[in-house]
Amino acid sequence: MKKKITAAFIFICSALMAFGQGNSIDERIGMAMNNSDWSELRELYSKDGYNLQTPYMHTLSKFFISQFYNQPDSAIAHGNVIMDKYQKELSASIPAIAFFMAEDYSRLGNNEMAFKIMHNLNEAYRKSGVEPNPNFVGFEDIYRIYSEQPAFFVTKPQYDTSAALSLYKYNDSKGKTHNMLYISSLFNGKDMKAIFDTGAGINMMTKEVAEKIGARIVSIKGLQFNGFGMGTSGEIAFVDSVKIGDATFHNVPFFIDDFKTGNEKADKKISDINFNCIIGNQMMMLLGEICFDFNRMQLVIPSVVSAKPAFAPNFFYSQDHLIIMTITDGLSGNAVKANLDTGSSNTVLTCSYYLNHKDLFTGKVASDSINVAGLGGAHTNIKVIPTDWSYGIAGKAYKCYSIYVETSQVQDKNSYDCLFGLQTMTCHNKMRLNFKDMWIRFE
């Protein structure tokens, strides 16, 4: 079952200033910002940033690089400079920058400051006679609630620890086999097998699960999330402890959802596979580094993170809360963006990729179709072209047989070219994810 869960942040980047298309470094960096191409921004700024002519572009570049490469403290420092010196020049971008700064404060555990920033931003809208964006209002409420709860944090042992992973195999209506990845854990001391989903930007569970484990349930004004449609959560469940191996997360927020798609067949399958709790990447990032050992089917949490390799970083954490890798596409020879999603059984090249590389598929017919479902909706009869594929990452090349290329749009627009799912990950013995220096490597 292919899916992704993110908080709905797409509206934010539309607030960025419009740059003309051109060849100056200012214009190229501005275009990377407007396209939310954070790896391109980082590469351009590291190679040619010293030639920038617009003073605020230095600080703005460093702000966004810090923001999307998991350096919240640096992002806050650069954001404060922008607020102090460049509000006039960057007036259209100030709401986006304020939103990201609030998120950074929250990630560092200062939810009081996160609430204050969002409250002041929403009040500024109201004083100007404009109703604030509902998501801004929602996050103001969420940060207020977070600030009233005990801190969300993790304690790790001084030794490597691990937890059992398992693949649940099921067949779709066409008899094709798919996988879901579960992790064995303890929620408030009770055994729980939860979906372990790198493609989920937030943790989620059903209200039934929350009540069963004795979580504290708090009403919120509502958070929109993107799955295969728009969904809204109106409650948060706070779980006192979630234990994975000998690592313990404390006071963990899970957004409540009924996990319904609106499609009867999809909803029955979701029920059949016990799809009712998701651990997302917001918990994974706190661990610093994790290793998926697919040979032994274990998640390994090292006590000390690995040294930074020469190729790092090779992924960023997008505004949609997705882990976006830069990989070399074997079909086009180009660098493309891939969403690393353990919540997806399949690996597919998206319709965005197809539309940008139609010449690669001249004479090929979409001879097959797939059905996909996830939180927020389901899509049926998506036309696809089967193809063999190869890709490169971290200086190594790999082959992947029989993936699909989508020729019809699943969502309004993909922010990536490839959905990199379990089909491809499990061909490797190990997959190591380092959130400190933002790199991934297959072993």
Side-chain angles (χ1 to χ4, degrees):
M1 184 180 299
K2 172 185 161 188
K3 62 161 191 57
K4 73 182 181 72
I5 310 165
T6 68
F9 297 134
I10 295 172
F11 62 88
I12 293 170
C13 288
S14 64
L16 291 172
M17 72 299 295
F19 288 86
Q21 295 189 19
N23 292 320
S24 75
I25 185 61
D26 296 64
E27 290 166 323
R28 284 182 286 142
I29 280 182
M31 189 59 64
M33 291 178 182
N34 279 343
N35 291 336
S36 302
D37 193 341
W38 309 118
S39 57
E40 175 73 0
L41 169 63
R42 184 183 178 279
E43 183 175 355
L44 286 170
Y45 188 75
S46 63
K47 288 182 178 178
D48 210 14
Y50 61 89
N51 284 322
L52 280 167
Q53 299 300 305
T54 311
Y56 64 75
M57 288 293 284
H58 284 284
T59 307
L60 191 62
S61 296
K62 288 186 282 189
F63 171 78
F64 282 125
I65 292 168
S66 299
Q67 178 68 34
F68 298 112
Y69 284 89
N70 197 25
Q71 298 174 328
D73 47 356
S74 296
I76 289 170
H78 297 310
N80 282 329
V81 173
I82 291 169
M83 296 297 185
D84 290 342
K85 296 179 64 175
Y86 300 121
Q87 280 210 43
K88 182 178 179 181
E89 295 91 332
L90 293 172
S91 58
S93 297
I94 291 303
I97 292 166
F99 180 92
F100 287 132
M101 290 180 68
E103 182 179 72
D104 291 326
Y105 275 113
S106 181
R107 285 166 64 187
L108 293 172
N110 192 343
N111 288 296
E112 293 85 355
M113 181 60 76
F115 164 71
K116 181 178 178 181
I117 289 173
M118 294 310 299
H119 177 76
N120 290 342
L121 176 61
N122 290 329
E123 284 301 299
Y125 274 115
R126 294 185 182 102
K127 288 178 181 178
S128 66
V130 177
E131 277 300 306
N133 188 293
N135 276 299
F136 284 0
V137 175
F139 272 94
E140 176 187 341
D141 189 48
I142 288 168
Y143 292 141
R144 176 189 62 80
I145 291 168
Y146 282 178
S147 71
E148 295 169 352
Q149 299 292 324
F152 167 42
F153 66 100
V154 65
T155 52
K156 290 169 52 178
Q158 294 183 337
Y159 51 86
D160 295 355
T161 186
S162 62
L165 297 170
S166 58
L167 287 175
Y168 180 92
K169 297 182 183 293
Y170 65 95
N171 294 326
D172 63 18
S173 58
K174 296 183 178 182
K176 296 176 181 175
T177 301
H178 301 273
N179 293 311
M180 295 296 291
L181 183 69
Y182 290 83
I183 190 164
S184 295
S185 53
L186 293 173
F187 280 50
N188 287 348
K190 296 179 173 64
D191 288 331
M192 174 73 71
K193 279 195 173 182
I195 303 289
F196 200 65
D197 190 351
T198 59
I202 52 179
N203 307 315
M204 301 194 80
M205 65 173 51
T206 63
K207 192 164 187 175
E208 180 182 8
V209 168
E211 291 173 343
K212 181 179 179 181
I213 63 173
R216 305 185 309 278
I217 300 175
V218 181
S219 295
I220 58 175
K221 291 183 178 179
L223 172 73
Q224 285 189 329
F225 59 86
N226 291 333
F228 285 106
M230 291 300 296
T232 302
S233 176
E235 293 177 304
I236 301 177
F238 290 92
V239 182
D240 290 337
S241 69
V242 175
K243 192 171 183 181
I244 298 177
D246 288 335
T248 303
F249 296 85
H250 305 268
N251 309 305
V252 188
F254 283 79
F255 289 87
I256 298 291
D257 187 75
D258 61 9
F259 285 41
K260 300 294 185 184
T261 69
N263 180 287
E264 185 177 346
K265 289 183 178 179
D267 289 344
K268 184 179 185 307
K269 181 60 68 175
I270 285 174
S271 176
D272 289 345
I273 65 175
N274 201 31
F275 182 43
N276 55 22
C277 181
I278 299 169
I279 291 175
N281 57 45
Q282 70 176 131
M283 288 176 64
M284 302 176 198
M285 292 182 73
L286 287 182
L287 295 170
E289 180 173 315
I290 55 177
C291 179
F292 295 81
D293 186 335
F294 294 117
N295 253 358
R296 297 164 57 226
M297 286 307 294
Q298 289 191 331
L299 181 82
V300 179
I301 303 169
S303 58
V304 179
V305 300
S306 304
K308 182 179 179 180
F311 61 78
N314 61 357
F315 73 82
F316 62 83
Y317 192 56
S318 77
Q319 67 273 15
D320 299 315
H321 289 185
L322 302 177
I323 296 170
I324 302 296
M325 310 181 294
T326 301
I327 63 176
T328 302
D329 166 41
L331 294 176
S332 67
N334 299 326
V336 298
K337 302 294 183 292
N339 172 15
L340 185 77
D341 189 357
T342 57
S344 172
S345 176
N346 298 323
T347 293
V348 299
L349 297 175
T350 66
C351 186
S352 296
Y353 175 94
Y354 172 74
L355 294 175
N356 289 325
H357 300 90
K358 274 191 172 182
D359 57 309
L360 297 175
F361 305 99
T362 301
K364 295 185 178 181
V365 179
S367 58
D368 203 349
S369 64
I370 57 175
N371 301 327
V372 294
L375 299 193
H379 297 271
T380 60
N381 200 34
I382 301 164
K383 298 299 182 183
V384 294
I385 299 173
T387 186
D388 290 340
W389 185 54
S390 62
Y391 61 95
I393 188 168
K396 294 185 178 181
Y398 304 97
K399 286 187 177 181
C400 182
Y401 298 102
S402 192
I403 69 166
Y404 290 124
V405 183
E406 296 174 347
T407 62
S408 55
Q409 200 79 42
V410 176
Q411 295 171 300
D412 290 339
K413 183 181 179 182
N414 288 116
S415 58
Y416 48 87
D417 306 287
C418 172
L419 181 68
F420 200 97
L422 288 170
Q423 168 190 357
T424 308
M425 297 177 205
T426 53
C427 292
H428 302 278
N429 294 328
K430 295 180 181 180
M431 179 176 75
R432 190 174 299 273
L433 266 173
N434 180 291
F435 296 104
K436 178 179 180 291
D437 297 311
M438 304 297 278
W439 56 267
I440 180 173
R441 180 174 66 208
F442 296 106
E443 302 172 1

